[in-house]
Amino acid sequence: MTQMIKNYLKYCLITFFISCSSIFSQVTPQQMVVRMGRGINLGNTLSAPFEGNWAPAVQESYFDDVATAGFKTVRIPIRFDEHTTKLENVTYKDGSGNYIGSIGQYAVESSYLDRIETVTDWALSKGLVAIIDVHGDKWFWESYRATIGGSPNPDYKTGADRQAAVDRFKAIWTAISNRFQNKSENLLFEVMNEAYFSMSEAEVDVTNTYVLEIIRATNPTRNVIVNGGKKNSYEAPLQMGTSYPNNNNYVHNDSYLIATFHYYLPRAFTASAGQNDNDYDWGTPEDKASVDNHFGIVKSWSQTNNIPILLGEFGADNEGGYDYSTKTYGAYGGPENSSRVAYHQYVAQKAIDLGFAFTVWDAGDKAGKTIYKVTDRTWVEDVKNAVLGTSLKTNRFDKINDLTIYPNPATDFLNITTTQKIQKIELYNLNGERYNIETNNQTLKLPFLNNGLYVLKTTFLNNTTSLDKLLILKQ
C-alpha cells in the first residue's frame, strides 16, 4: 500500500468520529454547517402556488446535476398554502366572535407531503444535505403587517382571526415534523423565509419558540434554521431572542440551531435589471469592504451566541437582464457579466472563509437570477464556477478531480459521477486491506463489508487519483 494511502487512512482514523458523527450520534450545528459547505436553492419550483406554475416540476436528474457539479446542499423553498385546509373552510369563531378553533381543524394534503418526501429523498440519496424551507406562506407572516405602502393591508389579522392563522401554521409544522421525523439528520428544517419584512422581533421570537416546541416533540436533535424579525439582510440574525427578558429563550435553550441571513446588497447592483436600479458594475475595494464589514458583524454575533451561520440566499441579476427562457436581454439593462461573476465569487468565498455555509439563489431559466438551466440541464458556467470556487487560482480546495460518490453512507452499491475516464478503482479498509469490487465505471457493486469507514481510491487515465472516505452502514 502506498504511503499516500497510509497517510490518508491515518487521517481518516483521526477524523472518523467527527466526520461520521451523524451516523452514530447527533450532528452539532457546527458540524452540519461544515458539511453543508457550498449549496444552491431550488427556487420558484415548490414555492409556487402549485408546482409547475413558475418553473418546470423538479425531476431526480436535477439532484444528479447539482451533486455532480460539486454542490453539497440544496435549499428547497416550499409553499403549503394551497395544500392545507383553508381558513375560510373552518369555523373557528362563535356568534360573539370568540375563538373556538384548534390546530386539529387543519390538515396538509398527504399527497403533497408525499411529493415533498420524494423530492427530499432524491436529494438525500445523492449525498446532499436538503433543507425544507417554509418559504412561500406569506399569508401567515404578512398577516402581522397592518399596512403596505401606507395603505391598510387586507391580509392583516387580529383577535380570533390571528389565532386561527397561528393554529394553521402550527398544523403545517406539525405535519412536517411528524412526516419527516425518521429521516436522516442531513434533512434540515427552516422555520420561515424573510418573515422580517412583516413581523417584529417579538412576533418572530414567539413564532420560532412554538414552532421549535412542535419540532422538538418528534425531532429532538434535528438542526433547525431560524432568523429574526424587523431588520433584514445581515442584521436579521442579530434580532433573535432580543424580545425575551434575561435572554431566557430558544436562542440559548436550543442546542441545534443554525441562524440564517440573506444578502442582496447593494440592491442598486444586484437588482439592476429592474427599472429603478442601475448600478451595473461591482468589485471596487469599497464594494468588497462593505461585504467584509457586514459579514464580520454576523460572524461576531455567531461567535458570541455560539450559533453557526447559513447564508441562505445571495445573488445578482442576470448579465444585462438576460432571460434564458426567451434568449433576450432586458429592457433596463443589468449587471456587467464580469461584475456579476466577481460578486458571486467574492460573497461565496467570504462566507466560506468566515465558516458560514451558503445556498446561492437560483430559480432556473425563467427567473432573473439564473445559474442552472433546467430546460437543457446546463449551467451558467462562469457563475457556477464562481460560487463553487473552481475558478479561483488557489490550492485551498481539497478536490482536484471532479468525482462525486453517492449514496454515502452506502450499503450494497455506490454510484460514481465524473467527467474523467477511470483507469481503476480500489477499496481499502482502515487497516490497509484491499477489496475487489465490480464496476462499470458508474455503479460499484460493493462486496460484503462490515459497517465502518473505508477509503475509495480512484485512478484516472491521466494518472491522477482521488481519495474519498466511504462509510458502509447496513441496516
Side-chain angles (χ1 to χ4, degrees):
M1 184 174 58
T2 66
Q3 187 62 41
M4 177 176 63
I5 294 177
K6 289 180 180 178
N7 291 340
Y8 193 75
L9 292 174
K10 183 184 295 184
Y11 166 76
C12 289
L13 280 170
I14 294 172
T15 60
F16 174 72
F17 290 107
I18 297 175
S19 63
C20 301
S21 61
S22 65
I23 304 303
F24 305 106
S25 62
Q26 294 78 35
V27 184
T28 70
Q30 290 76 14
Q31 291 168 336
M32 180 55 71
V33 164
V34 171
R35 182 179 302 178
M36 293 165 74
R38 299 170 187 260
I40 192 168
N41 276 268
L42 176 60
N44 286 9
T45 305
L46 287 165
S47 58
F50 295 94
E51 185 180 5
N53 285 170
W54 299 343
V58 63
Q59 299 181 26
E60 185 175 8
S61 59
Y62 169 82
F63 298 101
D64 287 317
D65 294 345
V66 164
T68 299
F71 291 101
K72 302 302 181 186
T73 299
V74 178
R75 180 175 181 254
I76 306 174
I78 301 172
R79 176 174 175 168
F80 288 83
D81 185 22
E82 298 298 331
H83 305 279
T84 305
T85 307
K86 297 286 188 180
L87 291 171
E88 56 264 32
N89 295 332
V90 172
T91 300
Y92 56 81
K93 290 188 284 190
D94 63 17
S96 301
N98 299 310
Y99 186 68
I100 57 172
S102 67
I103 297 174
Q105 292 176 292
Y106 308 94
V108 179
E109 295 170 358
S110 60
S111 59
Y112 192 59
L113 293 170
D114 291 343
R115 176 58 175 165
I116 295 170
E117 185 169 15
T118 294
V119 171
T120 53
D121 280 352
W122 282 340
L124 296 173
S125 72
K126 312 304 179 185
L128 296 164
V129 174
I131 301 169
I132 291 178
D133 161 40
V134 176
H135 186 99
D137 287 278
K138 295 183 179 180
W139 62 270
F140 175 68
W141 36 91
E142 288 192 356
S143 71
Y144 287 83
R145 189 175 183 178
T147 62
I148 298 178
S151 300
N153 175 17
D155 295 322
Y156 180 61
K157 291 179 171 56
T158 59
D161 296 329
R162 164 64 53 74
Q163 186 57 52
V166 168
D167 278 352
R168 187 174 187 243
F169 196 64
K170 286 181 176 180
I172 289 170
W173 268 111
T174 300
I176 297 169
S177 301
N178 289 341
R179 171 60 74 97
F180 296 98
Q181 61 182 298
N182 295 319
K183 294 297 181 180
S184 160
E185 294 287 351
N186 283 340
L187 179 66
L188 278 62
F189 295 160
E190 183 172 348
V191 175
M192 291 186 291
N193 176 71
E194 297 183 345
Y196 40 68
F197 287 120
S198 302
M199 299 173 71
S200 69
E201 307 100 306
E203 290 162 346
V204 171
D205 280 344
V206 168
T207 304
N208 283 343
T209 299
Y210 66 64
V211 170
L212 283 167
E213 288 175 353
I214 291 169
I215 292 171
R216 294 303 176 220
T218 49
N219 296 261
T221 61
R222 188 172 304 282
N223 282 290
V224 177
I225 300 167
V226 288
N227 207 341
K230 188 178 182 179
K231 294 185 178 182
N232 62 32
S233 192
Y234 67 94
E235 296 182 282
L238 282 61
Q239 315 312 311
M240 292 191 343
T242 57
S243 63
Y244 282 80
N246 303 318
N247 285 330
N248 183 23
N249 60 82
Y250 66 96
V251 172
H252 300 280
N253 293 337
D254 195 304
S255 300
Y256 295 94
L257 297 182
I258 296 171
T260 189
F261 74 105
H262 296 174
Y263 198 76
Y264 293 105
L265 297 177
R267 180 174 172 81
F269 170 73
T270 64
S272 57
Q275 184 173 6
N276 299 320
D277 298 290
N278 54 12
D279 181 0
Y280 301 133
D281 65 303
W282 185 94
T284 66
E286 293 76 16
D287 289 335
K288 295 176 181 178
S290 182
V291 176
D292 294 350
N293 177 51
H294 295 160
F295 281 40
I297 291 170
V298 177
K299 179 65 174 181
S300 179
W301 179 90
S302 171
Q303 291 174 321
T304 299
N305 292 277
N306 194 33
I307 297 177
I309 301 295
L310 167 69
L311 172 57
E313 293 181 19
F314 69 96
D317 285 348
N318 295 340
E319 178 260 331
Y322 191 74
D323 185 321
Y324 284 91
S325 64
T326 63
K327 296 179 172 54
T328 57
Y329 282 92
Y332 308 109
E336 296 173 353
N337 192 60
S338 60
S339 291
R340 184 183 187 224
V341 171
Y343 181 85
H344 280 86
Q345 183 182 62
Y346 193 83
V347 172
Q349 192 60 47
K350 178 57 64 174
I352 295 298
D353 288 346
L354 291 176
F356 304 167
F358 71 71
T359 47
V360 65
W361 182 255
D362 173 57
D365 310 46
K366 296 181 180 181
K369 293 178 174 67
T370 305
I371 301 177
Y372 178 78
K373 295 175 283 183
V374 64
T375 53
D376 62 4
R377 294 181 62 182
T378 62
W379 297 90
V380 181
E381 287 287 343
D382 51 2
V383 178
K384 180 203 73 173
N385 291 340
V387 296
L388 287 174
T390 53
S391 61
L392 297 177
K393 294 181 180 179
T394 175
N395 61 2
R396 74 181 66 192
F397 302 104
D398 296 330
K399 302 265 301 183
I400 61 172
N401 295 302
D402 61 340
L403 181 137
T404 301
I405 61 173
Y406 62 90
N408 193 5
T411 53
D412 301 315
F413 70 93
L414 186 71
N415 293 315
I416 289 183
T417 60
T418 179
T419 60
Q420 300 195 55
K421 292 188 177 181
I422 296 173
Q423 182 182 134
K424 63 178 177 178
I425 300 175
E426 301 163 278
L427 185 66
Y428 294 86
N429 66 17
L430 295 187
N431 293 321
E433 298 171 322
R434 188 172 67 179
Y435 298 89
N436 293 322
I437 50 179
E438 300 177 16
T439 177
N440 61 5
N441 286 354
Q442 291 181 331
T443 301
L444 305 182
K445 183 178 181 182
L446 299 173
F448 178 79
L449 299 169
N450 294 325
N451 288 351
L453 187 65
Y454 296 80
V455 176
L456 190 76
K457 180 184 178 184
T458 306
T459 303
F460 301 97
L461 285 181
N462 61 6
N463 290 320
T464 61
T465 61
S466 177
L467 296 175
D468 296 89
K469 288 178 286 185
L470 172 64
L471 186 63
I472 303 295
L473 187 66
K474 298 177 184 289
Q475 294 277 332

